[in-house]
Amino acid sequence: MSLECDVLIAGGGMTGTALALALARSPLRVTVVEARGAPENAGANDDDRSLTLSQSSRRLFDGAGIWPELAACGPALIREIHVTDAGRLSGTVHLDARDLGVDALGYVFENRRLAAALAGVLATDKRITLLSGARVSGYSDHGSHLMVRVTHGEDEHEIHCRLLVASDGTQSCVRELAHITAHTTDYRQTAFIAGFTPEFAAPGIAFERFTPSGPVAVLPRSNGRCGVVLALSAADAEQMKTVSPLAVRELAERRFGRRLGQFQEFGVPQSFPLRRILATAFTAPRVVLVGNAAHTLHPVAAQGLNLGLRDVAVLAELLEDCGADPGKPSLLETYERRRRRDVWLTSTFTHALVRIFSNPMPGLGALRGIGLALVDAAPPLKAMLALRSMGLSGRLPPLLQEHLT
Ligand SMILES: Cc1cc2nc3c(=O)[nH]c(=O)nc-3n(C[C@H](O)[C@H](O)[C@H](O)COP(=O)(O)OP(=O)(O)OC[C@H]3O[C@@H](n4cnc5c(N)ncnc54)[C@H](O)[C@@H]3O)c2cc1C
C-alpha cells in the first residue's frame, strides 16, 4: 500500500499527538504513525506518574481547542510551590500564583488519564490519519519528498511525505535514521514514583526538597492524594528494587520531613532511569525533531514535556505559514534557530539544579541556602523563576500568547 501526506508524525505520544491536533485546522494532510496498539488502550497502562503541565502547555491545548477534554481529567491546580534545601530553614523559596495574577502555577495530571484523553481526541479527529500499531522503520530522501517505510505487523507500507516529524521519544529511531547524534549524560540516578495520601492535607501546594542524596518532589493530586518523585543514586535504587514498597515509603518520608505527616495508602512504586539526552541538531533535510526525541531531561523541574510542547508550538506556527512545502530548508533553519535557546536554557537550568543541589561538597550547602534565601527575597528573581517554571519566559510563539487566562 502506498499513501501520501504533507506531514508524517512518527510517534503518537503526547508531543506527537499535540502537534497533530495543533495542525488539525490547517490545510496540511497529517498522518500519525504510532507503535502502540489501539488508541483506546493507550491510557490503560500502569504508569502512575503525576505530570505537571505548565501555563504555556495549557495555552497550547487551549489554542488547539482541546483543553476542556483535558480539564475533564480533573487536574490539581498548583497554587503554591515550596522549594527547600534539607536542614536549612533559611534556604527556602516560596512561589504563589496570586503574586503572579494566574489561577495556577501549573496543572498536575495523572499521566495515564492525560495520555488516554489525548489518545481519545486523536482517534476521533477525522482530519488526522492515525496508523496505530505501526512503526516507522526507514526512509529515503527524494529531494522534493521523503518515502517513509512503515512496518505494520507483517505488512510494510511506503508513505510519501514532505516533512517527517520525529516525536518517537528518547530512543528515537528517526533521529538515528537521519544521522543526528546526541550527547548523553547518565545521572546514575533512578526516579521512584508513587501515589499516597498525606496525613496532613496541603491542597494546591507542590514541594521540591533538595537533599544531599538527591531531590524529592511531592505534587498535589485532585482527589486528596499526592504523588511523590524520589531520585535515588543508582546503587541505592538497585538495593530498593529488592526491598518492599514500605522501605521506599520510609525513605520518602525521611527525606521529605514531617510537613505532611505519614505517607498513607502508599502505592506500588515504579522506577525510571534518569539521563539527559540532547540531540546535536534538531533538523535534517525534511526531518524535524520534537519532544524527547530532541531532548530528554531529568524530571527535577518538571520541564521535559513542557519543553517538548513548546517545540510543538513553534513548529505549528511555522507550518501554518509554510506555503506549498512544509519541509523547505528555510522553515527547518528557522525552527532550529528558534528552538536552540529555549532548549539550552531549560536543559542547563535543570542540569544545574541536579548538580548543585545533589552535591555534598563541604561549604556548598551554606551557599545553596544563601542562594535560595536571596531568590526568595528578590521579587524580580522570584518572578523570573516563576515565569520559567510556567514556561512563559523569553519570546513566546503566538500559539502561546493568544489564550491568556
Ligand atoms: C519520573 C518522571 C516524571 C516526569 N514528570 C514530568 C512533569 O511533571 N512535567 C513534564 O513536563 N515532564 C515530565 N517528565 C518528562 C515527560 O514524561 C516526557 O518529556 C514526555 O512524556 C515525552 O513525550 P514524547 O511524546 O516526546 O515522548 P514519548 O512519551 O516517549 O512518546 C514517544 C512515542 O513514540 C512511539 N514510538 C517510538 N518509536 C516509534 C517508531 N519507530 N514509530 C512509531 N512510533 C514510535 C512510542 O510508542 C511513544 O508513544 C517526567 C519524566 C519522568 C521520567
Side-chain angles (χ1 to χ4, degrees), residues 314 317 337-339 341 392-398 400-401:
V314 169
E317 176 201 340
R337 188 165 30 80
R338 294 261 308 266
R339 292 312 295 143
R341 188 179 149 80
L392 299 180
S393 54
R395 179 184 163 195
L396 294 177
L400 304 185
Q401 293 170 6

Side-chain angles (χ1 to χ4, degrees), residues 60-400:
L60 175 74
F61 289 123
D62 249 339
I66 57 162
W67 181 251
E69 278 89 338
L70 305 189
C73 298
L77 272 55
I78 299 181
R79 300 197 190 278
E80 294 175 45
I81 301 178
H82 293 196
V83 185
T84 50
D85 193 21
R88 279 162 220 287
L89 286 179
S90 60
T92 64
V93 173
H94 177 209
L95 303 176
D96 193 318
R98 283 168 300 193
D99 297 342
L100 295 142
V102 288
D103 69 332
L105 296 165
Y107 305 86
V108 184
F109 284 84
E110 284 178 47
N111 187 75
R112 59 181 144 214
R113 292 191 71 186
L114 180 62
L118 279 169
V121 178
L122 180 68
T124 50
D125 195 318
K126 299 276 176 277
R127 298 165 296 182
I128 301 161
T129 306
L130 171 63
L131 297 178
S132 50
R135 300 189 76 87
V136 167
S137 52
Y139 76 83
S140 52
D141 188 346
H142 297 259
S144 63
H145 67 275
L146 303 179
M147 277 306 239
V148 180
R149 202 166 53 247
V150 174
T151 315
H152 200 177
E154 302 282 285
D155 302 331
E156 209 157 81
H157 309 301
E158 284 205 309
I159 305 184
H160 170 300
C161 70
R162 308 275 274 171
L163 177 69
L164 172 60
V165 180
S167 53
D168 51 347
T170 304
Q171 305 297 342
S172 172
C173 139
V174 174
R175 188 178 67 214
E176 211 166 283
L177 291 168
H179 304 292
I180 298 175
T181 53
H183 294 304
T184 302
T185 310
D186 186 349
Y187 288 114
R188 303 197 50 71
Q189 287 184 354
T190 299
F192 275 77
I193 61 107
F196 71 92
T197 305
E199 185 183 0
F200 312 127
I205 305 182
F207 299 90
E208 182 76 67
R209 187 166 175 76
F210 294 99
T211 78
S213 43
V216 54
V218 169
L219 298 166
R221 288 185 177 175
S222 51
N223 50 5
R225 282 178 66 77
C226 289
V228 66
V229 185
L230 185 67
L232 297 183
S233 69
D236 287 347
E238 205 42 54
Q239 229 181 340
M240 277 297 159
K241 278 187 190 156
T242 57
V243 296
S244 64
L246 184 66
V248 179
R249 170 188 150 176
E250 282 171 356
L251 183 63
E253 281 178 349
R254 208 165 48 244
R255 240 194 223 182
F256 184 73
R258 295 290 306 153
R259 175 78 197 262
L260 297 175
Q262 286 181 350
F263 290 8
Q264 297 163 341
E265 297 162 22
F266 204 74
V268 178
Q270 292 163 352
S271 62
F272 299 83
L274 300 180
R275 283 162 299 167
R276 176 174 72 158
I277 300 180
L278 290 179
T280 51
F282 301 148
T283 59
R286 297 203 173 274
V287 175
V288 56
L289 271 51
V290 299
N292 272 27
H295 41 70
T296 296
L297 306 184
H298 191 293
V300 65
Q303 294 283 327
L305 176 62
N306 291 307
L307 182 63
L309 293 174
R310 297 203 291 279
D311 298 339
V312 166
V314 169
L315 185 57
E317 176 201 340
L318 296 176
L319 288 172
E320 219 162 78
D321 297 324
C322 69
D325 186 359
K328 61 188 173 194
S330 59
L331 185 147
L332 300 177
E333 275 160 31
T334 310
Y335 176 80
E336 180 87 44
R337 188 165 30 80
R338 294 261 308 266
R339 292 312 295 143
R340 274 279 146 218
R341 188 179 149 80
D342 187 17
V343 171
W344 185 83
L345 279 174
T346 308
S347 66
T348 305
F349 169 72
T350 304
H351 185 66
L353 279 182
V354 180
R355 289 295 192 230
I356 296 171
F357 283 93
S358 303
N359 195 329
M361 199 170 91
L364 203 57
L367 281 178
R368 285 196 300 254
I370 294 168
L372 286 178
L374 277 176
V375 171
D376 202 50
L381 283 181
K382 249 169 89 161
M384 258 168 58
L385 182 66
L387 286 175
R388 175 140 293 281
S389 63
M390 290 191 292
L392 299 180
S393 54
R395 179 184 163 195
L396 294 177
L399 274 176
L400 304 185

